[in-house]
Amino acid sequence: VMRGEPVLRAWMLLHFISLMPYSLTMMLGPSTVSPAAAQTMFRVAAAFIPMAAAAGAGFQFRLLGREKEMRWLVWAGVGVSAVWVVLATVTDATVKGVYWLPAGLWYANAGDWAWLTLLTTIAAATPGFIAMGIAAVRMKPSMERRQLRLALAANLITYSGLTDVALAYHAGM
Protein backbone atom coordinates (compact mmCIF):
# COMPACT_ATOMS: atom_id res chain seq x y z
CA VAL A 1 0.00 0.00 0.00
CA MET A 2 1.29 3.43 -0.94
CA ARG A 3 1.32 5.43 2.27
CA GLY A 4 1.16 9.15 1.78
CA GLU A 5 1.07 8.82 -1.98
CA PRO A 6 -0.16 12.25 -3.26
CA VAL A 7 -2.73 11.04 -5.82
CA LEU A 8 -4.16 8.57 -3.34
CA ARG A 9 -4.49 11.35 -0.78
CA ALA A 10 -6.14 13.60 -3.37
CA TRP A 11 -8.85 11.02 -4.11
CA MET A 12 -9.44 10.53 -0.39
CA LEU A 13 -9.63 14.28 0.18
CA LEU A 14 -12.17 14.70 -2.64
CA HIS A 15 -14.21 11.85 -1.16
CA PHE A 16 -14.23 13.43 2.31
CA ILE A 17 -14.97 16.94 1.00
CA SER A 18 -17.87 15.51 -1.02
CA LEU A 19 -19.32 13.85 2.08
CA MET A 20 -18.95 17.00 4.18
CA PRO A 21 -22.17 18.76 3.04
CA TYR A 22 -24.27 15.74 4.02
CA SER A 23 -22.50 15.37 7.36
CA LEU A 24 -23.01 19.05 8.16
CA THR A 25 -26.65 18.94 7.05
CA MET A 26 -27.40 15.98 9.30
CA MET A 27 -25.52 17.58 12.19
CA LEU A 28 -27.35 20.90 11.87
CA GLY A 29 -30.75 19.38 11.00
CA PRO A 30 -32.13 19.22 14.54
CA SER A 31 -31.31 22.88 15.23
CA THR A 32 -32.49 24.26 11.87
CA VAL A 33 -35.80 26.07 12.30
CA SER A 34 -36.39 27.17 8.71
CA PRO A 35 -37.69 24.61 6.19
CA ALA A 36 -36.22 26.74 3.38
CA ALA A 37 -32.77 26.62 4.97
CA ALA A 38 -33.09 22.87 5.52
CA GLN A 39 -34.10 22.37 1.90
CA THR A 40 -31.09 24.34 0.66
CA MET A 41 -28.78 22.35 2.92
CA PHE A 42 -30.22 19.04 1.66
CA ARG A 43 -29.95 20.14 -1.98
CA VAL A 44 -26.25 20.84 -1.58
CA ALA A 45 -25.77 17.65 0.45
CA ALA A 46 -27.48 15.45 -2.14
CA ALA A 47 -25.63 17.17 -4.98
CA PHE A 48 -22.24 15.96 -3.75
CA ILE A 49 -23.07 12.30 -2.98
CA PRO A 50 -22.33 11.02 -6.53
CA MET A 51 -18.99 12.88 -6.43
CA ALA A 52 -18.10 11.07 -3.22
CA ALA A 53 -18.76 7.77 -5.01
CA ALA A 54 -16.64 8.75 -8.02
CA ALA A 55 -13.80 9.87 -5.76
CA GLY A 56 -14.11 6.65 -3.78
CA ALA A 57 -13.72 4.66 -6.99
CA GLY A 58 -10.66 6.73 -7.92
CA PHE A 59 -9.19 5.98 -4.51
CA GLN A 60 -9.94 2.27 -4.80
CA PHE A 61 -8.44 1.86 -8.26
CA ARG A 62 -5.35 3.86 -7.28
CA LEU A 63 -4.97 1.72 -4.17
CA LEU A 64 -5.13 -1.40 -6.34
CA GLY A 65 -2.64 -0.02 -8.86
CA ARG A 66 -5.27 -0.14 -11.62
CA GLU A 67 -5.75 3.60 -12.07
CA LYS A 68 -4.36 3.67 -15.62
CA GLU A 69 -6.64 0.97 -17.02
CA MET A 70 -9.73 2.37 -15.22
CA ARG A 71 -8.94 6.06 -15.72
CA TRP A 72 -11.73 6.52 -18.28
CA LEU A 73 -14.31 5.05 -15.93
CA VAL A 74 -13.24 7.10 -12.92
CA TRP A 75 -13.09 10.39 -14.85
CA ALA A 76 -16.45 9.68 -16.50
CA GLY A 77 -17.86 9.27 -12.99
CA VAL A 78 -16.28 12.54 -11.89
CA GLY A 79 -17.65 14.31 -14.98
CA VAL A 80 -21.22 13.05 -14.56
CA SER A 81 -21.01 13.81 -10.83
CA ALA A 82 -19.89 17.38 -11.55
CA VAL A 83 -23.05 17.83 -13.62
CA TRP A 84 -25.10 16.54 -10.65
CA VAL A 85 -23.37 19.01 -8.32
CA VAL A 86 -24.70 21.90 -10.39
CA LEU A 87 -28.07 20.41 -11.34
CA ALA A 88 -29.02 19.19 -7.88
CA THR A 89 -27.86 22.38 -6.14
CA VAL A 90 -29.82 24.84 -8.29
CA THR A 91 -32.98 22.81 -9.05
CA ASP A 92 -35.40 20.57 -7.20
CA ALA A 93 -34.38 17.57 -9.34
CA THR A 94 -32.99 15.64 -6.37
CA VAL A 95 -34.58 17.35 -3.35
CA LYS A 96 -38.10 18.74 -3.50
CA GLY A 97 -38.79 20.23 -0.10
CA VAL A 98 -38.27 18.81 3.37
CA TYR A 99 -40.42 17.25 6.06
CA TRP A 100 -40.11 16.99 9.83
CA LEU A 101 -39.18 13.56 11.18
CA PRO A 102 -40.62 12.47 14.53
CA ALA A 103 -37.00 12.05 15.67
CA GLY A 104 -36.75 15.84 15.69
CA LEU A 105 -35.02 16.84 12.48
CA TRP A 106 -35.72 17.82 8.91
CA TYR A 107 -35.23 15.36 6.08
CA ALA A 108 -35.43 15.75 2.32
CA ASN A 109 -38.35 14.82 0.11
CA ALA A 110 -37.10 13.02 -2.98
CA GLY A 111 -37.18 15.10 -6.12
CA ASP A 112 -38.32 13.73 -9.47
CA TRP A 113 -34.76 12.72 -10.41
CA ALA A 114 -33.55 11.49 -7.01
CA TRP A 115 -33.65 7.93 -8.32
CA LEU A 116 -31.24 8.92 -11.11
CA THR A 117 -28.86 10.51 -8.61
CA LEU A 118 -28.91 7.28 -6.62
CA LEU A 119 -28.34 5.24 -9.79
CA THR A 120 -25.40 7.51 -10.70
CA THR A 121 -23.93 7.00 -7.23
CA ILE A 122 -24.27 3.23 -7.46
CA ALA A 123 -22.85 3.15 -11.00
CA ALA A 124 -19.84 5.22 -9.94
CA ALA A 125 -19.15 3.14 -6.82
CA THR A 126 -19.80 -0.43 -7.94
CA PRO A 127 -16.75 -1.04 -10.19
CA GLY A 128 -14.36 -0.02 -7.40
CA PHE A 129 -16.13 -2.23 -4.88
CA ILE A 130 -16.04 -5.20 -7.20
CA ALA A 131 -12.32 -4.71 -7.89
CA MET A 132 -11.55 -4.26 -4.17
CA GLY A 133 -13.64 -7.30 -3.25
CA ILE A 134 -11.92 -9.51 -5.80
CA ALA A 135 -8.47 -8.34 -4.69
CA ALA A 136 -9.33 -8.77 -1.01
CA VAL A 137 -10.39 -12.37 -1.62
CA ARG A 138 -7.90 -13.54 -4.25
CA MET A 139 -4.65 -12.00 -3.04
CA LYS A 140 -2.39 -14.31 -1.13
CA PRO A 141 -2.25 -13.55 2.60
CA SER A 142 -0.11 -10.48 3.21
CA MET A 143 -0.11 -7.15 4.98
CA GLU A 144 -1.30 -5.51 1.76
CA ARG A 145 -4.32 -7.85 1.54
CA ARG A 146 -5.14 -7.11 5.18
CA GLN A 147 -5.03 -3.38 4.49
CA LEU A 148 -7.19 -3.77 1.36
CA ARG A 149 -9.76 -5.68 3.40
CA LEU A 150 -9.82 -2.94 6.02
CA ALA A 151 -10.19 -0.27 3.31
CA LEU A 152 -13.03 -2.26 1.76
CA ALA A 153 -14.76 -2.60 5.13
CA ALA A 154 -14.42 1.15 5.73
CA ASN A 155 -15.90 1.87 2.29
CA LEU A 156 -18.81 -0.50 2.91
CA ILE A 157 -19.56 1.21 6.21
CA THR A 158 -19.51 4.61 4.51
CA TYR A 159 -21.84 3.53 1.71
CA SER A 160 -24.25 1.84 4.11
CA GLY A 161 -25.41 5.41 4.73
CA LEU A 162 -27.19 5.28 1.37
CA THR A 163 -30.02 3.57 3.22
CA ASP A 164 -31.03 7.11 4.23
CA VAL A 165 -32.40 7.53 0.72
CA ALA A 166 -35.40 5.46 1.82
CA LEU A 167 -36.33 8.31 4.18
CA ALA A 168 -36.54 10.70 1.22
CA TYR A 169 -39.26 8.45 -0.18
CA HIS A 170 -40.92 8.23 3.26
CA ALA A 171 -40.26 4.49 3.45
CA GLY A 172 -40.98 3.16 6.91
CA MET A 173 -42.70 6.36 7.93
Side-chain angles (χ1 to χ4, degrees):
V1 177
M2 304 163 277
R3 293 190 180 183
E5 198 267 334
V7 176
L8 194 62
R9 282 194 318 236
W11 283 118
M12 184 177 278
L13 185 61
L14 179 59
H15 178 75
F16 289 144
I17 289 171
S18 298
L19 289 175
M20 189 63 68
Y22 185 77
S23 298
L24 291 172
T25 297
M26 294 309 294
M27 178 185 69
L28 296 172
S31 62
T32 304
V33 294
S34 165
Q39 176 177 322
T40 301
M41 291 180 349
F42 271 105
R43 278 187 179 173
V44 173
F48 280 91
I49 297 299
M51 185 65 76
F59 174 83
Q60 290 167 328
F61 286 122
R62 183 68 179 200
L63 193 63
L64 293 169
R66 296 183 57 196
E67 71 277 359
K68 289 192 176 156
E69 70 183 274
M70 301 307 283
R71 181 181 306 152
W72 63 273
L73 182 69
V74 171
W75 285 107
V78 169
V80 170
S81 298
V83 171
W84 273 118
V85 167
V86 175
L87 187 65
T89 299
V90 300
T91 71
D92 63 358
T94 302
V95 173
K96 190 182 271 185
V98 292
Y99 69 101
W100 188 255
L101 287 172
L105 66 141
W106 295 104
Y107 204 80
N109 286 311
D112 296 335
W113 291 2
W115 64 272
L116 190 55
T117 307
L118 178 61
L119 190 63
T120 302
T121 302
I122 292 168
T126 300
F129 275 104
I130 291 171
M132 286 280 285
I134 290 170
V137 170
R138 291 188 179 167
M139 284 179 71
K140 61 184 176 182
S142 65
M143 184 61 78
E144 185 176 1
R145 182 176 102 166
R146 181 176 171 271
Q147 289 176 339
L148 284 177
R149 287 180 170 189
L150 292 172
L152 180 61
N155 283 193
L156 288 169
I157 290 166
T158 300
Y159 285 99
S160 69
L162 286 175
T163 57
D164 284 359
V165 174
L167 289 174
Y169 287 101
H170 302 268
M173 297 305 298

